[in-house]
Coordinates of all heavy atoms in Angstrom, one line a residue:
Q1 N 8.6 14.5 16.9 CA 10.0 14.0 16.7 C 10.6 13.7 18.0 O 10.7 14.6 18.9 CB 10.8 15.1 15.9 CG 10.2 15.4 14.5 CD 11.0 16.4 13.8 OE1 11.1 17.5 14.2 NE2 11.7 16.0 12.7
A2 N 11.1 12.5 18.1 CA 11.7 12.0 19.3 C 12.5 10.8 19.0 O 12.5 10.3 17.9 CB 10.6 11.7 20.4
E3 N 13.2 10.3 20.1 CA 13.9 9.0 19.9 C 12.9 7.9 19.5 O 13.3 7.1 18.6 CB 14.5 8.7 21.3 CG 15.4 7.4 21.2 CD 16.0 7.1 22.6 OE1 16.1 8.1 23.4 OE2 16.3 6.0 22.8
E4 N 11.7 8.0 20.0 CA 10.7 7.1 19.5 C 9.5 7.9 18.9 O 8.7 8.4 19.7 CB 10.1 6.2 20.7 CG 11.2 5.3 21.3 CD 10.6 4.5 22.4 OE1 9.4 4.6 22.7 OE2 11.4 3.7 23.0
P5 N 9.5 8.1 17.6 CA 8.6 9.1 17.0 C 7.1 8.6 17.3 O 6.8 7.5 17.4 CB 8.9 9.0 15.5 CG 10.2 8.4 15.4 CD 10.4 7.5 16.6
A6 N 6.2 9.7 17.4 CA 4.8 9.4 17.7 C 3.9 10.2 16.8 O 4.3 11.3 16.3 CB 4.6 9.8 19.2
L7 N 2.7 9.8 16.6 CA 1.7 10.5 15.9 C 0.6 10.9 16.9 O 0.2 10.2 17.8 CB 1.0 9.6 14.8 CG 1.8 9.2 13.6 CD1 1.0 8.4 12.6 CD2 2.4 10.4 12.9
I8 N -0.1 12.1 16.6 CA -1.3 12.4 17.2 C -2.4 12.2 16.2 O -2.5 12.8 15.2 CB -1.3 13.9 17.6 CG1 -0.2 14.2 18.6 CG2 -2.7 14.2 18.3 CD1 -0.2 13.5 19.9
D9 N -3.2 11.1 16.5 CA -4.3 10.7 15.6 C -3.7 10.1 14.3 O -2.5 10.3 14.0 CB -5.3 11.7 15.2 CG -6.1 12.1 16.4 OD1 -6.3 11.3 17.3 OD2 -6.7 13.3 16.5
S10 N -4.5 9.3 13.5 CA -4.0 8.7 12.3 C -4.9 8.9 11.1 O -4.7 8.4 10.0 CB -3.7 7.3 12.5 OG -4.8 6.5 12.9
G11 N -6.1 9.6 11.4 CA -6.9 10.0 10.3 C -8.0 9.0 9.8 O -8.2 8.0 10.5
F12 N -8.5 9.3 8.7 CA -9.6 8.5 8.1 C -9.1 7.2 7.5 O -8.0 7.2 6.9 CB -10.3 9.4 7.0 CG -11.5 8.8 6.4 CD1 -12.6 8.4 7.2 CD2 -11.6 8.6 5.0 CE1 -13.7 7.8 6.6 CE2 -12.7 8.1 4.4 CZ -13.8 7.7 5.2
S13 N -9.9 6.2 7.6 CA -9.4 4.8 7.2 C -9.0 4.7 5.7 O -8.1 4.0 5.4 CB -10.6 3.8 7.5 OG -11.7 4.1 6.8
Q14 N -9.7 5.4 4.8 CA -9.3 5.3 3.4 C -8.1 6.1 3.0 O -7.7 6.1 1.9 CB -10.5 5.8 2.6 CG -11.8 4.9 2.8 CD -11.5 3.5 2.4 OE1 -11.1 3.1 1.3 NE2 -11.6 2.6 3.4
N15 N -7.5 6.8 4.0 CA -6.3 7.7 3.7 C -5.0 7.1 4.2 O -4.0 7.8 4.4 CB -6.5 9.1 4.3 CG -7.5 9.9 3.5 OD1 -7.8 9.6 2.4 ND2 -8.1 10.8 4.2
L16 N -5.0 5.8 4.4 CA -3.8 5.2 4.9 C -2.6 5.3 4.0 O -1.4 5.5 4.4 CB -4.0 3.7 5.2 CG -3.1 3.1 6.3 CD1 -3.3 3.8 7.7 CD2 -3.5 1.6 6.6
G17 N -2.9 5.3 2.7 CA -1.8 5.5 1.7 C -1.3 6.9 1.7 O 0.0 7.1 1.6
L18 N -2.2 7.9 1.9 CA -1.7 9.2 2.0 C -0.9 9.4 3.3 O 0.2 10.1 3.3 CB -2.9 10.2 2.1 CG -3.6 10.5 0.8 CD1 -4.9 11.2 1.0 CD2 -2.7 11.2 -0.2
L19 N -1.3 8.8 4.4 CA -0.5 8.9 5.6 C 0.9 8.3 5.5 O 1.9 8.9 5.8 CB -1.3 8.1 6.7 CG -0.6 8.0 8.1 CD1 -0.4 9.3 8.7 CD2 -1.4 7.0 9.0
Q20 N 0.9 7.1 4.8 CA 2.2 6.5 4.6 C 3.1 7.3 3.7 O 4.3 7.5 4.0 CB 2.0 5.1 4.0 CG 3.3 4.3 3.8 CD 3.9 3.7 5.0 OE1 4.1 4.4 6.0 NE2 4.3 2.4 5.0
A21 N 2.6 7.9 2.7 CA 3.3 8.7 1.7 C 3.9 9.9 2.4 O 5.0 10.3 2.2 CB 2.5 9.0 0.5
A22 N 3.1 10.6 3.3 CA 3.5 11.7 4.0 C 4.7 11.4 4.9 O 5.7 12.1 5.0 CB 2.4 12.4 4.8
L23 N 4.6 10.3 5.6 CA 5.7 9.9 6.5 C 7.0 9.6 5.7 O 8.1 10.0 6.1 CB 5.3 8.6 7.3 CG 4.1 8.8 8.3 CD1 3.7 7.4 8.9 CD2 4.6 9.7 9.4
Q24 N 6.8 8.9 4.6 CA 8.0 8.5 3.8 C 8.7 9.8 3.2 O 9.9 9.8 3.0 CB 7.5 7.6 2.6 CG 7.2 6.2 3.0 CD 6.6 5.4 1.9 OE1 6.3 5.9 0.8 NE2 6.5 4.1 2.1
S25 N 7.9 10.8 3.0 CA 8.5 12.1 2.4 C 9.5 12.7 3.4 O 10.3 13.6 3.0 CB 7.5 13.1 2.0 OG 6.8 13.6 3.2
V26 N 9.4 12.4 4.7 CA 10.4 12.9 5.7 C 11.2 11.8 6.3 O 11.7 11.9 7.5 CB 9.6 13.7 6.8 CG1 9.0 15.0 6.2 CG2 8.5 12.8 7.5

């Protein structure tokens, strides 16, 4: 969490929907 938010890694290619949903939840 920062002025410019960042991720450490982005996971497996088939889980992009899960990644996006997790981000949207916060």
Side-chain angles (χ1 to χ4, degrees):
Q1 295 179 295
E3 183 181 337
E4 297 181 3
L7 292 181
I8 303 295
D9 293 335
S10 57
F12 183 57
S13 58
Q14 297 302 300
N15 287 338
L16 208 57
L18 284 170
L19 173 64
Q20 180 76 309
L23 293 173
Q24 289 174 346
S25 72
V26 291

